[in-house]
Amino acid sequence: MSEAAGTGERAGHGTELLVVGSANADLVVAVDRRPGPGETVLGSDLVVHPGGKGANQAVAAARLGARTALLARVGDDAHGRLLLESQRAAGVDTSAVLTGGAPTGVALITVDPSGDNSIVVSPGANARLRPADVRAAGGLLARARVVSVQLEIPPETVAEVARALPAGTRLVLNPSPPAALPPDVLAVCDPLVLNEHEARVLLGGGVGGSGGPGPGPQVPGSGPGPGPEDWARGLLALGPRSVVVTLGAAGALVAGPAGGERVPSPRVRAVDTTGAGDAFTAALAWRLGLGEDLATAARFAVRVGAAAVTRPGAQQSFPTADELPPATP
Ligand code: RIB
């Protein structure tokens, strides 16, 4: 049986951002070169960090000053305790973090000298976060201005979040790892936030954008065009209210029915990109909940993502508000 894991420092004040998602222990090895198929490479000593796309977003937002809560499931084990400690240290409301049912999720991560990574996730307890857990957290959902979800939890749980969303509450969805989304979920995404790889998969370009196996096109004939503006148009045709395509060092593209706008990123030296997308999405979601428009929120979020790549790891790389690089003119 599971039990709620306790209450963090900011509980009871109303929630600016509720994150529903995964919590993983990140097992990280630095390598000179990430291995190809059938290849073995030697790497650094192993380090274990708190991670998972949901847990990362919650910590990123709380560290910026947002009143944040996390709905997630961890195992009753040392990795679960590591994750809970990290959430509480950041000030996240953990009253809806459930414990037990399976070992805590684990992410096996290799990072190369350019800061790029490859990740394999064993979902563990994340796969046991059920629609009933979302229904049981109805009070938390009702108090949230914005709810943010990703795809490291079961699709039926994501669908339940979309169904249970109170009127006036905004849903931000990062389809990572990428998978096809049902029309009723896509219809409430505002925005759908995704990187180039995820955009290509949702548009039917296949894993890695190479035409390999993927969820396949959701709109017949809507393959990816030559650039982000084309992807954004194709993605909007799938039904979300708005789209944000993250472009790494090039910043982001925000797009809605009225058109698109590029948002440049500050220039920084990347050390480790792990979790930078989560930090970006959390910052974006929080600022949307404060009433900013999409482009304004994205101009803040690119600064958060840029700061996050300058330090190793996921959660420990996330900045406070006074650690952000200046906005790009
Ligand atoms: O987005 C980065 C995260 O992806 C890592 O922390 C890892 O846990 C995986 O979920």
Side-chain angles (χ1 to χ4, degrees), residues 7-10 58-59 62 68-70 86-95:
T7 304
E9 288 170 20
R10 291 174 198 261
V59 166
T68 310
L70 176 67
S86 177
Q87 295 292 314
R88 288 175 181 147
V92 175
D93 172 359
T94 58
S95 60

Side-chain angles (χ1 to χ4, degrees), residues 164-213:
L165 207 65
T169 302
R170 197 160 181 157
L171 184 73
V172 173
L173 191 150
N174 169 222
S176 182
L181 293 164
D184 59 329
V185 173
L186 279 163
V188 290
C189 293
D190 192 14
L192 185 69
V193 183
L194 66 188
N195 65 20
E196 176 180 343
H197 166 73
E198 291 148 6
R200 286 182 187 278
V201 175
L202 258 70
L203 289 168
V207 173
S210 59

Side-chain angles (χ1 to χ4, degrees), residues 52-253:
K53 296 182 193 304
N56 288 350
Q57 284 197 22
V59 166
R63 201 162 286 162
L64 291 166
R67 289 196 304 274
T68 310
L70 176 67
L71 171 56
R73 185 177 286 275
V74 296
D76 184 8
D77 51 30
H79 285 161
R81 287 186 282 281
L82 172 78
L83 282 150
L84 280 164
E85 274 163 29
S86 177
Q87 295 292 314
R88 288 175 181 147
V92 175
D93 172 359
T94 58
S95 60
V97 178
L98 304 164
T99 304
T104 299
V106 167
L108 308 174
I109 303 180
T110 51
V111 182
D112 71 20
S114 74
D116 282 337
N117 61 49
S118 298
I119 304 179
V120 176
V121 172
S122 167
N126 298 306
R128 275 73 166 184
L129 188 69
R130 309 300 310 164
D133 299 323
V134 175
R135 290 191 286 276
L140 205 51
L141 238 81
R143 289 195 300 276
R145 292 189 195 173
V146 179
V147 179
S148 182
V149 286
Q150 325 76 39
L151 302 186
E152 289 186 336
I153 56 174
E156 57 273 23
T157 306
V158 173
E160 182 63 28
V161 173
R163 256 195 303 273
L165 207 65
T169 302
R170 197 160 181 157
L171 184 73
V172 173
L173 191 150
N174 169 222
S176 182
L181 293 164
D184 59 329
V185 173
L186 279 163
V188 290
C189 293
D190 192 14
L192 185 69
V193 183
L194 66 188
N195 65 20
E196 176 180 343
H197 166 73
E198 291 148 6
R200 286 182 187 278
V201 175
L202 258 70
L203 289 168
V207 173
S210 59
Q218 295 192 6
V219 171
S222 70
E229 281 75 9
D230 303 279
W231 307 336
R233 267 191 295 277
L235 290 161
L236 284 169
L238 300 178
R241 294 178 188 165
S242 57
V243 166
V244 175
V245 183
T246 58
L247 303 169
L253 169 71

